[in-house]
Amino acid sequence: MAKELVFGHQNPDTDAIAAAIAASYYLNKKGMDTEAVALGQPNDETKFALDYFEVQAPRVIEKADTKEVVLVDHNEAAQSVSNIADLTVTHVFDHHKIDFKTSAPLFYHAEALGSTSTILFTFFERDGIEIPKPIAGMMLSALISDTLLLKSPTTTDVDRKIIGKLAAQAGVSDIDDFGIHLLKAGTNLSKKTDKELIDGDAKSFELAGKTLRIGQVNTVDIPEVLTRKDGIKKEIEAEIASDGYNGFLFVITDILNSNSKALYYGSDEDKIAAAFGQTLTANSLDLPGVVSRKKQVVPPITEQFK
């Protein structure tokens, strides 16, 4: 019998990959037979972590070839594996808003912590299961990534408490130094095409019968990214036409100064602008202090579509 697959969302970030690896290891220690996989290739930041801690990247799948699966770092069908409707979800570990339907009982743990890896650490600790050094390193990387080195508003006291424990188990003596190198590894955008830029960390959201695509990219130079605005617009409009999105919001985040600028193309411009109390100017929005899609972008937009 094939192993039960454990995976994060499409266009996986560091937490999606790390949480899949950690959850699979944890569940196997609890007597299950699972395999961590991914719904896309790891990004540059994740590759940095995988290389640093000498962890093999999970194999990439397009469809799940097992009847039962475990979801980490997501719960929405639009962000999951393509044949999710045909599968039985046995476990969910997540820290996002919940838009999940099931016809059978399951294990579901959702908590508003900085990363799914933070949640998983609490399970390891509760059950007295030792985390191998490489997996602890990946979980540390995920926590740093999702909280922008504890600067994101999604950061909790639990994250602040756990980050030191993970660092110790991973053999990382200087969290800030490692964290800056990790985050900067994900900001080298020069070799990415415009399509790779908008798709690298994009998620789809179903809002009042409409599909909104929200992408985000981290950088240390927003103006440099904006020099590619024409190409970005072309690729976004092509995706709207081909994939049927009602709109596409592309958030460009300065990880050093904790600010963002967003580009929006599609319908319902008034709702997108109202979500942030602004007016779209040349398809652009200034988002001072905004760094978290989960806490500062999706919630106000969702309110506008009720």
Side-chain angles (χ1 to χ4, degrees):
M1 181 179 293
K3 294 184 177 183
E4 187 168 341
L5 301 182
V6 184
F7 49 81
H9 52 76
Q10 297 172 18
N11 300 318
D13 56 11
T14 302
D15 195 32
I17 298 289
I21 293 170
S24 178
Y25 182 85
Y26 169 79
L27 292 172
N28 289 347
K29 284 293 184 180
K30 297 290 286 185
M32 293 179 61
D33 188 15
T34 73
E35 178 193 359
V37 295
L39 305 187
Q41 295 293 338
N43 60 33
D44 288 341
E45 178 191 273
T46 310
K47 288 177 183 176
F48 175 90
L50 291 167
D51 291 343
Y52 190 95
F53 295 106
E54 298 181 344
V55 176
Q56 184 175 353
R59 68 183 177 96
V60 176
I61 65 168
E62 293 184 1
K63 289 186 177 182
D65 55 4
T66 57
K67 293 183 178 180
E68 296 182 328
V69 297
V70 175
L71 308 186
V72 298
D73 201 32
H74 77 296
N75 66 84
E76 300 188 48
Q79 300 170 13
S80 199
V81 73
S82 60
N83 60 330
I84 189 67
D86 302 323
L87 307 174
T88 297
V89 178
T90 66
H91 295 69
V92 177
F93 298 92
D94 194 18
H95 67 140
H96 295 90
K97 72 181 183 71
I98 299 172
D99 184 6
F100 182 81
K101 295 180 181 180
T102 178
S103 59
L106 77 161
F107 177 93
Y108 194 113
H109 187 98
E111 195 171 355
L113 298 182
S115 71
T116 307
S117 292
T118 303
I119 294 172
L120 287 165
F121 179 88
T122 66
F123 279 86
F124 279 100
E125 190 172 54
R126 181 197 69 183
D127 293 340
I129 298 174
E130 184 177 351
I131 307 174
K133 180 177 178 180
I135 295 180
M138 292 304 301
M139 295 170 72
L140 171 67
S141 301
L143 198 166
I144 290 171
S145 174
D146 265 24
T147 65
L148 293 179
L149 201 49
L150 304 183
K151 293 180 180 179
S152 169
T154 60
T155 307
T156 69
D157 287 341
V158 177
D159 299 296
R160 297 184 183 95
K161 179 181 178 181
I162 284 175
I163 194 170
K165 294 181 179 181
L166 277 172
Q169 293 182 31
V172 173
S173 58
D174 191 328
I175 297 173
D176 288 336
D177 181 68
F178 170 75
I180 289 296
H181 281 86
L182 173 76
L183 293 173
K184 284 189 173 181
T187 65
N188 183 12
L189 308 177
S190 60
K191 294 183 179 180
K192 295 185 182 296
T193 66
D194 294 327
K195 182 171 177 56
E196 290 171 338
L197 202 64
I198 65 170
D199 286 342
D201 185 14
K203 296 181 179 180
S204 297
F205 298 87
E206 300 297 331
L207 304 173
K210 296 186 177 182
T211 301
L212 183 67
R213 188 78 162 165
I214 303 179
Q216 186 173 23
V217 66
N218 290 337
T219 183
V220 292
D221 191 345
I222 290 178
E224 182 179 0
V225 178
L226 289 175
T227 63
R228 303 171 62 172
K229 183 177 178 181
D230 289 344
I232 290 170
K233 176 184 178 182
K234 180 180 178 181
E235 292 297 341
I236 286 178
E237 290 180 337
E239 286 200 9
I240 289 174
S242 64
D243 298 329
Y245 303 134
N246 296 98
F248 195 127
L249 183 71
F250 182 57
V251 182
I252 308 163
T253 299
D254 182 337
I255 62 171
L256 296 182
N257 297 303
S258 299
N259 290 308
S260 295
K261 194 175 185 77
L263 301 175
Y264 182 74
Y265 301 95
S267 60
D268 297 298
E269 290 185 348
D270 56 332
K271 292 182 178 179
I272 300 300
F276 303 102
Q278 295 191 35
T279 300
L280 276 164
T281 303
N283 299 98
S284 299
L285 290 168
D286 286 314
L287 304 177
V290 172
V291 296
S292 171
R293 173 173 50 196
K294 177 170 72 264
K295 193 167 185 176
Q296 296 173 295
V297 177
V298 175
I301 289 178
T302 299
E303 285 296 315
Q304 292 297 317
F305 281 84
K306 285 185 174 179

